[in-house]
Amino acid sequence: MNRLLLRAVLGSAVVLGGSLVWAATPGEATQLLVTGYDGDTGNLAITYDPACSSSDHNIEFGPLQDVDTLGYSGQECGIGTTGSYSAFNPGAGSFFFLVVGNDGASTEGSYGTNLIGGTPSERSEDLTDPQCSFVQDLSQRCDGPFEPELDLTAYRPASEAYGAPLQRAAVPDLDEESPGTGIRINGDDDNGNAQPDRDDTGVAGENDLIEITVTLDPPTPAPGFEYVLERSNPNLRVWNEATKATEVITSGDTAVLNPPGVTSTLWVENPVGGSADLSLSARPTGGGPDVATDRVHFYPFHGIIVALGGEDQVPHDPPNDPGNQGTFDLAIMLYQMGYDVHMYDEDVVSASGAGAAFNEVVSAVQDRGVTGVTIFGYSHGGGSTNDLAIRLDDNRASIGTFSIEYTAYMDGIDNDSDLDIGAENQIPASTQFHDNYYERVCPIVVIFPLCGNSIPGSDLDLNVNTTPWGTSLGHFEIDDAPEVLDGILNRIVSLPVTR
Amino acid sequence: MIRSRAMIALLTGLVLCSMALGAAPCPERDEAIQARINDVVTAMVQDGTTGEQVEALRQAADGRREALLVQLALFLGDSESTEESSVGALLVQALEFTPDEKLTAVLPHLDAEPASLRKVLTEILSTIDRPDGGTPDFAFYEQWLRQHGREPSAALIRYMYQVSPGMALAGMTRVFSGEGTAAPNPAGVSALETLVARHEGLLPWTEGERADAGEVLDRLADDPSWWVRLYAAATLQKETGLGTPALRARLAADQDALVRSVARD
């Protein structure tokens, strides 16, 4: 009989340590030889090289006259994996036969390749299975060309909690390498133990790491290959948990991955600043050219953006009142574009400027290497923009080095209290660039109007009612006008230290 | 749309108020006035006009301006949109309530639940003590306290200490010590106020600063004057990292009910 090349593929799930793991399917058994014949019994002795990833083998046979159509008529089941078998006896007559690897359960691999007509093609499988039933699966054969599907997906940062008010958002594939993924320098102290989180492990409340999902298909590489996670430099550290319990890359810049499933989650930290790339690759074991790779670029945030809604506008993604809370629409867009955005109810800024927004900016400057602050707001959020800027400027010496890169009002109303209805009339303290969008067709009760006003000295001081697109925009519409939102967006994108 | 939202808010507010009975009287809704307020808001948002509606609102209140202000506070407390809260604020301003009217209207309900209503009430008071923002001026309240005394004004005193413990202490000393404007603050208060201001949202306290502040607070907590002990309790309430458990427990068991209530908050 001919030497048969048997290529087998397994696609079975096995449980290891309680986790569901997908294994590669068997390769083909090769080097099939008849090594003996027992004249008394009629038994043939054979040897073969077992198929990779196989747990057992069968012999498939049929009448020799049917070899051209692979007309199988019988099976010898469970011949093991030793590579030899001495009791094959198909009976009287002439037969063709071949050896097929299987997973010991239900899946069998390749029957080898024929060259009928000079074109290599997979031999057809035995569908009758008279003795032992297996289903062929060639989709992940361990000896096939190894072309795994790898994906590294990064997500936007936590703000303020992860998933609220801003939704967990994946960085689009097109942005993964350029501009990449923003990441906060982890110098703050989220667990309040008087130690910078960068020097800490097991950080309860840690919110500065970036989630990445690692997809490896198949999860176990073919024999001779390995999956590796590689950083371009130590500006990045990779952890198994958002709270920094177990580090993944423990020496050098590379770690071989043994994931528990197709997709797993890791967390990336930027301890001291600087950019870096993180790559996920499949390569020959021990090193060699990658057969597949995916890469994400990480850049440290040097800017922070604070978005302050109008009275009774509660930050939410998507906004609670779609089409009527443009401040948050803009904040969400900037967040998804890769800025470090924090959107707040304007009440978090007290009339003195103190509160959660102030604390966030102070922490960003003092602990996270941020040097540029952007603040914008609508109505009372505009007034709070000024209150926050004043407090930041007043406490500049204590806070550290930063500049208020950009501010914007959308019909800013002074916010000395929730009942304040006076137009905000100050340019935010020390701002480098200020845009003031206002309207004058505002509602008036008796003699009291509710609208912003001109603030001379603003870089843009625009009464939207004087524009073709904003003739009728009032206080309750100006913050939703695409022209206003685009104007602020474009300004932020054009300025240097907003991201 | 506005009307239906307001009606839902009315119902929600009723439930919250009824659940929180006990601390202070929950103001009752006047559905006729609430409907008029809603008319103003709707007209303003939809048409930008309010003349007739405002006049109708005035008439519905029938000269009971304090009652009208309470109804406006209830409306604002249930507000769920910029439109409602902004026009409500416009109405409060346009009706030009005097400080006396505001305090008379607000004081009986200042400790009432829900928190959203209490917030509106304190915002109304802030238009008395900080009409243009900045540092509070409690002169009007001091005059009120001289006229009405401490007991009917406990909620006002609590409010003052919440806004500014240091300014409230100075005011109480002027009103209740018998020394008038010549009354000095107790020793250590100025230094403590400076420390608290320096650390508001900025640098963390050092152990030494904590110890110094704790020492001052410990001494103030033993002061024979309730308004001084109240200052200690109010400061500890704002600065949760200061003071020892023993000091807090002492204030929580103070002989003065107002001090006790603030210390236990």
Side-chain angles (χ1 to χ4, degrees), chain A residues 304-328:
Chain A
I304 184 171
I305 294 178
V306 175
L308 300 167
E311 200 65 52
D312 281 332
Q313 293 186 345
V314 178
H316 196 267
D317 177 12
N320 288 327
D321 191 2
N324 196 31
Q325 295 185 357
T327 306
F328 298 145

Side-chain angles (χ1 to χ4, degrees), chain A residues 135-284:
Chain A
V135 176
Q136 189 181 50
D137 183 354
L138 304 178
S139 63
Q140 298 290 344
R141 52 192 302 167
C142 59
D143 56 354
F146 187 52
E147 296 173 343
E149 292 185 12
L150 307 185
D151 184 64
L152 200 54
T153 298
Y155 291 80
R156 299 302 183 194
S159 173
E160 304 306 306
Y162 200 29
L166 289 157
Q167 282 191 45
R168 175 177 177 262
V171 177
D173 279 347
L174 285 174
D175 293 344
E176 278 183 348
E177 295 196 48
S178 178
T181 301
I183 185 170
R184 299 192 193 109
I185 298 171
N186 199 20
D188 60 359
D189 182 19
D190 290 322
N191 58 349
N193 67 350
Q195 181 164 314
D197 293 339
R198 69 165 68 92
D199 302 326
D200 216 350
T201 55
V203 182
E206 175 60 76
N207 61 6
D208 298 302
L209 272 56
I210 294 293
E211 180 187 1
I212 55 170
T213 52
V214 176
T215 301
L216 304 169
D217 190 11
T220 301
F225 290 90
E226 63 188 2
Y227 294 134
V228 293
L229 195 63
E230 185 172 14
R231 62 188 178 190
S232 59
N233 61 53
N235 290 339
L236 299 179
R237 296 176 74 180
V238 183
W239 300 85
N240 269 325
E241 311 83 6
T243 51
K244 297 184 58 179
T246 312
E247 190 159 13
V248 174
I249 301 176
T250 53
S251 65
D253 291 321
T254 303
V256 176
L257 296 180
N258 295 296
V262 172
T263 299
S264 55
T265 297
L266 300 173
W267 299 83
V268 179
E269 178 188 26
N270 184 317
V272 293
S275 298
D277 292 345
L278 193 66
S279 302
L280 174 66
S281 304
R283 69 180 190 187

Side-chain angles (χ1 to χ4, degrees), chain B residues 12-22 25-27 29 74 112-114 117:
Chain B
T12 308
L14 281 171
V15 171
L16 288 173
C17 254
S18 64
M19 286 169 56
L21 288 175
C26 203
R29 294 179 176 279
L74 287 167
E113 298 287 349
L117 173 63

Side-chain angles (χ1 to χ4, degrees), chain B residues 3-4 27 30 39-40 43 67 76 86 89 142 178 183 190 198 221 223-224 238 253 257 263:
Chain B
R3 183 184 299 274
S4 62
D30 182 322
D39 286 346
V40 176
L76 286 165
S86 299
E142 291 174 30
S190 295
R198 183 191 303 165
D223 196 280
K238 291 188 99 165

